[in-house]
Amino acid sequence: MALHLLHDAGKQRLEPSGRYTLEARASTDIWIARDGGRPTWYITQNLGVQPATPQDEQAWRAAGSPSSWTYSGVPGRAPTLRTKPDEPVAARQDGEGSMGTLANKPMTRAELAKLPTTPEGLREYLEPLVTEQHGTEPVNADAELYETGVRLLMNLPASPETRAAAYRMLASLPGTTAEGQVTDPLGRTGQAVSRRLANGTDRIIVDAETGEPLTFESTINGMRTFEAIKKTGWTNEEPPLPPGRQ
């Protein structure tokens, strides 16, 4: 049995001449073995680049519908984006992997089960962790709690009660706003909590009926990045490894 997490991510940027916006997408398929004697697999794939909006698609077609874009950078190493997806790549991790980390602390299934199930209790649990990970550096506790709460929702298989507590904790932090119902980049509707940044905003979106996290997205200087959860849960299926991997 393995914990299966399938995430999609997107990142926007202007095409090299600045005429329209592109969005590059990628997937991360994680299979965390429940049995410490079996490997954990990380399968990643670049899904290609497309115009970000219908308006950008019109500008892209007017520019001749190019299928690749090269950006200036280090000579001989200029990044190139392409519409065509890459082949998936698998990385193997042997040994007993954790279920993930929380403020740099590896979390086992037993530790996840002990996480508080109230927003007040969860904040009390997390505050020492976010302070400790920065050592003697000054810490904006509310900002760190927001980031840590988001990572808890997005990356860890916590109980529904703990996830609900994390969402309520986020909504209670100074500087956050409950936006109500919104649509995420995959077209799904959910409830959002947002936070204003110096040059943009970020927000987390959850399914109102189940409490399951859907998407975390940031918009900085008009360009959006996002991480969307497509699937999470325990399974007896085997990971779809590329040919030649085992």
Side-chain angles (χ1 to χ4, degrees):
M1 180 173 285
L3 177 63
H4 181 207
L5 303 100
L6 178 60
H7 290 195
D8 271 9
K11 182 175 183 178
Q12 293 180 350
R13 66 187 300 180
L14 289 173
E15 62 92 27
S17 64
R19 291 172 292 180
Y20 51 89
T21 300
L22 298 169
E23 184 166 275
R25 292 205 175 186
S27 71
T28 303
D29 198 2
I30 306 171
W31 299 72
I32 303 174
R34 183 174 182 176
D35 179 359
R38 302 190 64 190
T40 292
W41 288 99
Y42 299 84
I43 306 169
T44 57
Q45 184 180 20
N46 290 323
L47 301 176
V49 179
Q50 300 292 338
T53 68
Q55 294 76 17
D56 293 313
E57 183 175 359
Q58 291 178 0
W60 168 70
R61 293 187 184 280
S65 304
S67 60
S68 66
W69 300 263
T70 299
Y71 293 80
S72 59
V74 178
R77 294 170 55 190
T80 297
L81 302 180
R82 297 180 175 85
T83 58
K84 183 179 179 181
D86 294 338
E87 293 296 323
V89 176
R92 173 175 173 154
Q93 176 182 305
D94 291 308
E96 184 174 0
S98 72
M99 295 292 101
T101 61
L102 189 60
N104 291 337
K105 177 184 177 181
M107 302 295 291
T108 64
R109 292 182 66 204
E111 288 170 321
L112 286 174
K114 295 178 183 178
L115 287 175
T117 56
T118 65
E120 299 80 11
L122 191 59
R123 176 166 186 155
E124 184 178 352
Y125 175 88
L126 292 176
E127 280 182 331
L129 294 182
V130 300
T131 301
E132 181 180 339
Q133 71 175 340
H134 287 277
T136 59
E137 297 177 8
V139 175
N140 181 332
D142 291 329
E144 291 295 328
L145 283 170
Y146 185 91
E147 295 291 342
T148 304
V150 166
R151 290 301 106 200
L152 169 58
L153 284 167
M154 294 296 295
N155 294 342
L156 292 171
S159 70
E161 294 79 12
T162 294
R163 288 198 299 268
Y167 186 78
R168 294 199 300 271
M169 182 194 74
L170 294 177
S172 71
L173 291 172
T176 62
T177 301
E179 293 189 11
Q181 183 169 294
V182 302
T183 302
D184 83 346
L186 302 188
R188 305 171 297 184
T189 58
Q191 296 290 316
V193 168
S194 66
R195 180 176 61 127
R196 185 169 296 278
L197 307 174
N199 52 355
T201 60
D202 59 25
R203 66 183 182 180
I204 185 162
I205 306 168
V206 302
D207 186 304
E209 294 184 0
T210 66
E212 295 285 345
L214 298 176
T215 298
F216 177 65
E217 63 179 10
S218 295
T219 302
I220 307 297
N221 296 325
M223 296 289 110
R224 182 184 69 181
T225 62
F226 73 85
E227 178 185 354
I229 297 176
K230 296 184 71 176
K231 182 184 293 186
T232 182
W234 293 96
T235 179
N236 288 316
E237 296 179 2
E238 293 295 324
L241 299 177
R245 298 308 305 262
Q246 60 180 14

PDB file of all heavy atoms in Angstrom, residues 19 21 57 59 66 88 91-92 96 98 118-120 131 140 143-144 152 157 166 188 191-192 207 211 218 223 240:
ATOM      1  N   ARG A  19       4.654  40.209 -25.779  1.00  0.00           N
ATOM      2  CA  ARG A  19       3.380  40.440 -26.469  1.00  0.00           C
ATOM      3  C   ARG A  19       2.215  39.687 -25.852  1.00  0.00           C
ATOM      4  O   ARG A  19       1.063  40.089 -26.009  1.00  0.00           O
ATOM      5  CB  ARG A  19       3.516  40.045 -27.946  1.00  0.00           C
ATOM      6  CG  ARG A  19       4.435  40.965 -28.757  1.00  0.00           C
ATOM      7  CD  ARG A  19       4.679  40.394 -30.142  1.00  0.00           C
ATOM      8  NE  ARG A  19       5.487  39.175 -30.075  1.00  0.00           N
ATOM      9  CZ  ARG A  19       5.850  38.470 -31.148  1.00  0.00           C
ATOM     10  NH1 ARG A  19       5.444  38.855 -32.344  1.00  0.00           N
ATOM     11  NH2 ARG A  19       6.591  37.389 -31.008  1.00  0.00           N
ATOM     12  N   THR A  21       1.100  36.373 -22.628  1.00  0.00           N
ATOM     13  CA  THR A  21       1.519  35.596 -21.463  1.00  0.00           C
ATOM     14  C   THR A  21       1.391  34.110 -21.740  1.00  0.00           C
ATOM     15  O   THR A  21       0.395  33.655 -22.303  1.00  0.00           O
ATOM     16  CB  THR A  21       0.666  35.960 -20.227  1.00  0.00           C
ATOM     17  OG1 THR A  21       0.837  37.361 -19.941  1.00  0.00           O
ATOM     18  CG2 THR A  21       1.080  35.156 -19.008  1.00  0.00           C
ATOM     19  N   GLU A  57      -4.078  33.718 -26.403  1.00  0.00           N
ATOM     20  CA  GLU A  57      -4.090  32.804 -27.550  1.00  0.00           C
ATOM     21  C   GLU A  57      -4.272  33.565 -28.857  1.00  0.00           C
ATOM     22  O   GLU A  57      -3.640  33.237 -29.873  1.00  0.00           O
ATOM     23  CB  GLU A  57      -5.198  31.774 -27.389  1.00  0.00           C
ATOM     24  CG  GLU A  57      -5.213  30.743 -28.523  1.00  0.00           C
ATOM     25  CD  GLU A  57      -6.222  29.641 -28.319  1.00  0.00           C
ATOM     26  OE1 GLU A  57      -6.908  29.643 -27.280  1.00  0.00           O
ATOM     27  OE2 GLU A  57      -6.321  28.767 -29.198  1.00  0.00           O
ATOM     28  N   ALA A  59      -3.242  36.629 -29.432  1.00  0.00           N
ATOM     29  CA  ALA A  59      -1.955  37.276 -29.712  1.00  0.00           C
ATOM     30  C   ALA A  59      -0.929  36.255 -30.188  1.00  0.00           C
ATOM     31  O   ALA A  59      -0.096  36.559 -31.058  1.00  0.00           O
ATOM     32  CB  ALA A  59      -1.461  37.992 -28.453  1.00  0.00           C
ATOM     33  N   PRO A  66       3.884  30.140 -32.630  1.00  0.00           N
ATOM     34  CA  PRO A  66       5.161  29.433 -32.402  1.00  0.00           C
ATOM     35  C   PRO A  66       4.986  28.280 -31.424  1.00  0.00           C
ATOM     36  O   PRO A  66       4.082  28.288 -30.582  1.00  0.00           O
ATOM     37  CB  PRO A  66       6.063  30.523 -31.811  1.00  0.00           C
ATOM     38  CG  PRO A  66       5.112  31.515 -31.222  1.00  0.00           C
ATOM     39  CD  PRO A  66       3.913  31.514 -32.109  1.00  0.00           C
ATOM     40  N   PRO A  88       7.895  11.649 -18.971  1.00  0.00           N
ATOM     41  CA  PRO A  88       7.976  11.630 -17.505  1.00  0.00           C
ATOM     42  C   PRO A  88       9.330  11.109 -17.020  1.00  0.00           C
ATOM     43  O   PRO A  88       9.963  10.275 -17.676  1.00  0.00           O
ATOM     44  CB  PRO A  88       6.841  10.695 -17.099  1.00  0.00           C
ATOM     45  CG  PRO A  88       6.557   9.867 -18.310  1.00  0.00           C
ATOM     46  CD  PRO A  88       6.884  10.725 -19.491  1.00  0.00           C
ATOM     47  N   ALA A  91      12.165   9.379 -10.036  1.00  0.00           N
ATOM     48  CA  ALA A  91      13.259   9.346  -9.063  1.00  0.00           C
ATOM     49  C   ALA A  91      12.848   8.443  -7.915  1.00  0.00           C
ATOM     50  O   ALA A  91      11.718   8.515  -7.414  1.00  0.00           O
ATOM     51  CB  ALA A  91      13.569  10.742  -8.553  1.00  0.00           C
ATOM     52  N   ARG A  92      13.769   7.582  -7.501  1.00  0.00           N
ATOM     53  CA  ARG A  92      13.492   6.591  -6.459  1.00  0.00           C
ATOM     54  C   ARG A  92      14.157   6.988  -5.152  1.00  0.00           C
ATOM     55  O   ARG A  92      15.323   7.410  -5.129  1.00  0.00           O
ATOM     56  CB  ARG A  92      14.004   5.233  -6.918  1.00  0.00           C
ATOM     57  CG  ARG A  92      13.943   4.136  -5.871  1.00  0.00           C
ATOM     58  CD  ARG A  92      14.356   2.802  -6.461  1.00  0.00           C
ATOM     59  NE  ARG A  92      14.455   1.768  -5.452  1.00  0.00           N
ATOM     60  CZ  ARG A  92      14.308   0.480  -5.680  1.00  0.00           C
ATOM     61  NH1 ARG A  92      14.060   0.062  -6.916  1.00  0.00           N
ATOM     62  NH2 ARG A  92      14.409  -0.404  -4.703  1.00  0.00           N
ATOM     63  N   GLU A  96      12.756   4.146   4.707  1.00  0.00           N
ATOM     64  CA  GLU A  96      11.460   4.558   5.239  1.00  0.00           C
ATOM     65  C   GLU A  96      11.322   6.055   5.135  1.00  0.00           C
ATOM     66  O   GLU A  96      11.969   6.818   5.852  1.00  0.00           O
ATOM     67  CB  GLU A  96      11.317   4.120   6.698  1.00  0.00           C
ATOM     68  CG  GLU A  96       9.946   4.427   7.270  1.00  0.00           C
ATOM     69  CD  GLU A  96       9.756   3.861   8.661  1.00  0.00           C
ATOM     70  OE1 GLU A  96      10.711   3.235   9.171  1.00  0.00           O
ATOM     71  OE2 GLU A  96       8.670   4.040   9.215  1.00  0.00           O
ATOM     72  N   SER A  98       9.297   9.709   5.333  1.00  0.00           N
ATOM     73  CA  SER A  98       8.260  10.307   6.153  1.00  0.00           C
ATOM     74  C   SER A  98       7.066  10.644   5.276  1.00  0.00           C
ATOM     75  O   SER A  98       7.111  10.563   4.057  1.00  0.00           O
ATOM     76  CB  SER A  98       8.806  11.578   6.825  1.00  0.00           C
ATOM     77  OG  SER A  98       8.949  12.610   5.871  1.00  0.00           O
ATOM     78  N   THR A 118      -8.135  21.701  16.672  1.00  0.00           N
ATOM     79  CA  THR A 118      -8.770  23.013  16.833  1.00  0.00           C
ATOM     80  C   THR A 118      -7.791  24.067  16.302  1.00  0.00           C
ATOM     81  O   THR A 118      -6.565  23.876  16.370  1.00  0.00           O
ATOM     82  CB  THR A 118      -9.099  23.334  18.294  1.00  0.00           C
ATOM     83  OG1 THR A 118      -7.864  23.448  19.040  1.00  0.00           O
ATOM     84  CG2 THR A 118      -9.966  22.238  18.903  1.00  0.00           C
ATOM     85  N   PRO A 119      -8.294  25.193  15.783  1.00  0.00           N
ATOM     86  CA  PRO A 119      -7.373  26.222  15.274  1.00  0.00           C
ATOM     87  C   PRO A 119      -6.465  26.773  16.365  1.00  0.00           C
ATOM     88  O   PRO A 119      -5.289  27.063  16.119  1.00  0.00           O
ATOM     89  CB  PRO A 119      -8.312  27.293  14.707  1.00  0.00           C
ATOM     90  CG  PRO A 119      -9.651  26.995  15.251  1.00  0.00           C
ATOM     91  CD  PRO A 119      -9.709  25.541  15.527  1.00  0.00           C
ATOM     92  N   GLU A 120      -6.984  26.907  17.585  1.00  0.00           N
ATOM     93  CA  GLU A 120      -6.173  27.424  18.689  1.00  0.00           C
ATOM     94  C   GLU A 120      -5.070  26.434  19.050  1.00  0.00           C
ATOM     95  O   GLU A 120      -3.904  26.812  19.252  1.00  0.00           O
ATOM     96  CB  GLU A 120      -7.048  27.704  19.917  1.00  0.00           C
ATOM     97  CG  GLU A 120      -8.134  28.734  19.708  1.00  0.00           C
ATOM     98  CD  GLU A 120      -9.357  28.180  18.996  1.00  0.00           C
ATOM     99  OE1 GLU A 120      -9.456  26.927  18.841  1.00  0.00           O
ATOM    100  OE2 GLU A 120     -10.220  28.980  18.585  1.00  0.00           O
ATOM    101  N   THR A 131       9.192  29.257  14.729  1.00  0.00           N
ATOM    102  CA  THR A 131      10.225  30.088  15.348  1.00  0.00           C
ATOM    103  C   THR A 131      11.566  29.362  15.341  1.00  0.00           C
ATOM    104  O   THR A 131      12.615  29.945  15.009  1.00  0.00           O
ATOM    105  CB  THR A 131       9.831  30.454  16.790  1.00  0.00           C
ATOM    106  OG1 THR A 131       8.581  31.154  16.771  1.00  0.00           O
ATOM    107  CG2 THR A 131      10.900  31.327  17.436  1.00  0.00           C
ATOM    108  N   ASN A 140       8.295  36.912  11.249  1.00  0.00           N
ATOM    109  CA  ASN A 140       6.920  37.395  11.192  1.00  0.00           C
ATOM    110  C   ASN A 140       6.030  36.191  11.448  1.00  0.00           C
ATOM    111  O   ASN A 140       5.752  35.403  10.547  1.00  0.00           O
ATOM    112  CB  ASN A 140       6.626  38.024   9.831  1.00  0.00           C
ATOM    113  CG  ASN A 140       5.209  38.576   9.728  1.00  0.00           C
ATOM    114  OD1 ASN A 140       4.293  38.103  10.392  1.00  0.00           O
ATOM    115  ND2 ASN A 140       5.035  39.588   8.886  1.00  0.00           N
ATOM    116  N   ALA A 143       2.875  35.526   9.230  1.00  0.00           N
ATOM    117  CA  ALA A 143       3.211  35.125   7.857  1.00  0.00           C
ATOM    118  C   ALA A 143       3.733  33.701   7.824  1.00  0.00           C
ATOM    119  O   ALA A 143       3.389  32.910   6.928  1.00  0.00           O
ATOM    120  CB  ALA A 143       4.240  36.088   7.256  1.00  0.00           C
ATOM    121  N   GLU A 144       4.571  33.336   8.797  1.00  0.00           N
ATOM    122  CA  GLU A 144       5.112  31.982   8.847  1.00  0.00           C
ATOM    123  C   GLU A 144       4.019  30.958   9.152  1.00  0.00           C
ATOM    124  O   GLU A 144       4.010  29.856   8.593  1.00  0.00           O
ATOM    125  CB  GLU A 144       6.222  31.895   9.893  1.00  0.00           C
ATOM    126  CG  GLU A 144       7.483  32.660   9.536  1.00  0.00           C
ATOM    127  CD  GLU A 144       8.184  32.083   8.315  1.00  0.00           C
ATOM    128  OE1 GLU A 144       8.111  30.851   8.114  1.00  0.00           O
ATOM    129  OE2 GLU A 144       8.786  32.860   7.567  1.00  0.00           O
ATOM    130  N   LEU A 152       0.735  22.427   5.327  1.00  0.00           N
ATOM    131  CA  LEU A 152       0.038  21.343   6.006  1.00  0.00           C
ATOM    132  C   LEU A 152      -1.155  20.878   5.172  1.00  0.00           C
ATOM    133  O   LEU A 152      -1.363  19.674   4.962  1.00  0.00           O
ATOM    134  CB  LEU A 152      -0.419  21.814   7.383  1.00  0.00           C
ATOM    135  CG  LEU A 152      -1.390  20.902   8.158  1.00  0.00           C
ATOM    136  CD1 LEU A 152      -0.791  19.525   8.380  1.00  0.00           C
ATOM    137  CD2 LEU A 152      -1.757  21.542   9.487  1.00  0.00           C
ATOM    138  N   PRO A 157      -0.968  14.286   4.566  1.00  0.00           N
ATOM    139  CA  PRO A 157      -2.244  13.569   4.683  1.00  0.00           C
ATOM    140  C   PRO A 157      -2.793  13.635   6.104  1.00  0.00           C
ATOM    141  O   PRO A 157      -2.980  12.618   6.775  1.00  0.00           O
ATOM    142  CB  PRO A 157      -1.872  12.143   4.279  1.00  0.00           C
ATOM    143  CG  PRO A 157      -0.452  11.996   4.719  1.00  0.00           C
ATOM    144  CD  PRO A 157       0.180  13.354   4.503  1.00  0.00           C
ATOM    145  N   ALA A 166      -6.776  23.747  10.388  1.00  0.00           N
ATOM    146  CA  ALA A 166      -5.766  24.547   9.686  1.00  0.00           C
ATOM    147  C   ALA A 166      -6.428  25.637   8.856  1.00  0.00           C
ATOM    148  O   ALA A 166      -5.968  26.787   8.841  1.00  0.00           O
ATOM    149  CB  ALA A 166      -4.918  23.645   8.795  1.00  0.00           C
ATOM    150  N   ARG A 188     -12.465  24.109 -10.811  1.00  0.00           N
ATOM    151  CA  ARG A 188     -13.224  23.606  -9.673  1.00  0.00           C
ATOM    152  C   ARG A 188     -13.595  24.763  -8.745  1.00  0.00           C
ATOM    153  O   ARG A 188     -12.835  25.713  -8.599  1.00  0.00           O
ATOM    154  CB  ARG A 188     -12.398  22.555  -8.915  1.00  0.00           C
ATOM    155  CG  ARG A 188     -11.928  21.414  -9.786  1.00  0.00           C
ATOM    156  CD  ARG A 188     -10.938  20.508  -9.070  1.00  0.00           C
ATOM    157  NE  ARG A 188      -9.716  21.217  -8.718  1.00  0.00           N
ATOM    158  CZ  ARG A 188      -8.663  20.634  -8.146  1.00  0.00           C
ATOM    159  NH1 ARG A 188      -8.691  19.340  -7.870  1.00  0.00           N
ATOM    160  NH2 ARG A 188      -7.580  21.338  -7.842  1.00  0.00           N
ATOM    161  N   GLN A 191     -13.960  27.342  -1.500  1.00  0.00           N
ATOM    162  CA  GLN A 191     -13.875  28.510  -0.636  1.00  0.00           C
ATOM    163  C   GLN A 191     -12.413  28.920  -0.498  1.00  0.00           C
ATOM    164  O   GLN A 191     -11.543  28.072  -0.333  1.00  0.00           O
ATOM    165  CB  GLN A 191     -14.458  28.200   0.742  1.00  0.00           C
ATOM    166  CG  GLN A 191     -15.946  27.870   0.723  1.00  0.00           C
ATOM    167  CD  GLN A 191     -16.802  29.083   0.414  1.00  0.00           C
ATOM    168  OE1 GLN A 191     -16.580  30.162   0.950  1.00  0.00           O
ATOM    169  NE2 GLN A 191     -17.797  28.894  -0.446  1.00  0.00           N
ATOM    170  N   ALA A 192     -12.157  30.229  -0.552  1.00  0.00           N
ATOM    171  CA  ALA A 192     -10.776  30.719  -0.562  1.00  0.00           C
ATOM    172  C   ALA A 192     -10.491  31.630   0.619  1.00  0.00           C
ATOM    173  O   ALA A 192     -11.357  32.393   1.063  1.00  0.00           O
ATOM    174  CB  ALA A 192     -10.488  31.465  -1.855  1.00  0.00           C
ATOM    175  N   ASP A 207     -12.296  22.623  -0.969  1.00  0.00           N
ATOM    176  CA  ASP A 207     -13.633  22.154  -1.295  1.00  0.00           C
ATOM    177  C   ASP A 207     -14.542  22.414  -0.101  1.00  0.00           C
ATOM    178  O   ASP A 207     -14.281  21.932   1.001  1.00  0.00           O
ATOM    179  CB  ASP A 207     -13.590  20.662  -1.632  1.00  0.00           C
ATOM    180  CG  ASP A 207     -14.912  20.126  -2.134  1.00  0.00           C
ATOM    181  OD1 ASP A 207     -15.925  20.276  -1.419  1.00  0.00           O
ATOM    182  OD2 ASP A 207     -14.943  19.526  -3.228  1.00  0.00           O
ATOM    183  N   GLY A 211     -13.883  19.752   2.680  1.00  0.00           N
ATOM    184  CA  GLY A 211     -12.746  20.314   3.388  1.00  0.00           C
ATOM    185  C   GLY A 211     -11.407  19.964   2.776  1.00  0.00           C
ATOM    186  O   GLY A 211     -10.358  20.358   3.293  1.00  0.00           O
ATOM    187  N   SER A 218      -0.539  31.952  -6.240  1.00  0.00           N
ATOM    188  CA  SER A 218       0.002  33.280  -5.976  1.00  0.00           C
ATOM    189  C   SER A 218      -0.016  34.083  -7.266  1.00  0.00           C
ATOM    190  O   SER A 218       0.238  33.541  -8.350  1.00  0.00           O
ATOM    191  CB  SER A 218       1.453  33.190  -5.469  1.00  0.00           C
ATOM    192  OG  SER A 218       1.524  32.539  -4.222  1.00  0.00           O
ATOM    193  N   MET A 223       1.537  37.997 -12.636  1.00  0.00           N
ATOM    194  CA  MET A 223       1.823  36.643 -13.138  1.00  0.00           C
ATOM    195  C   MET A 223       1.424  35.612 -12.082  1.00  0.00           C
ATOM    196  O   MET A 223       1.822  35.721 -10.919  1.00  0.00           O
ATOM    197  CB  MET A 223       3.315  36.486 -13.466  1.00  0.00           C
ATOM    198  CG  MET A 223       3.816  37.374 -14.593  1.00  0.00           C
ATOM    199  SD  MET A 223       3.214  36.896 -16.222  1.00  0.00           S
ATOM    200  CE  MET A 223       2.092  38.267 -16.546  1.00  0.00           C
ATOM    201  N   PRO A 240       2.863   4.263 -12.021  1.00  0.00           N
ATOM    202  CA  PRO A 240       3.072   4.093 -13.458  1.00  0.00           C
ATOM    203  C   PRO A 240       4.474   4.550 -13.864  1.00  0.00           C
ATOM    204  O   PRO A 240       4.679   5.638 -14.407  1.00  0.00           O
ATOM    205  CB  PRO A 240       1.992   5.007 -14.058  1.00  0.00           C
ATOM    206  CG  PRO A 240       1.840   6.104 -13.041  1.00  0.00           C
ATOM    207  CD  PRO A 240       2.061   5.452 -11.702  1.00  0.00           C
TER     208      PRO A 240
END
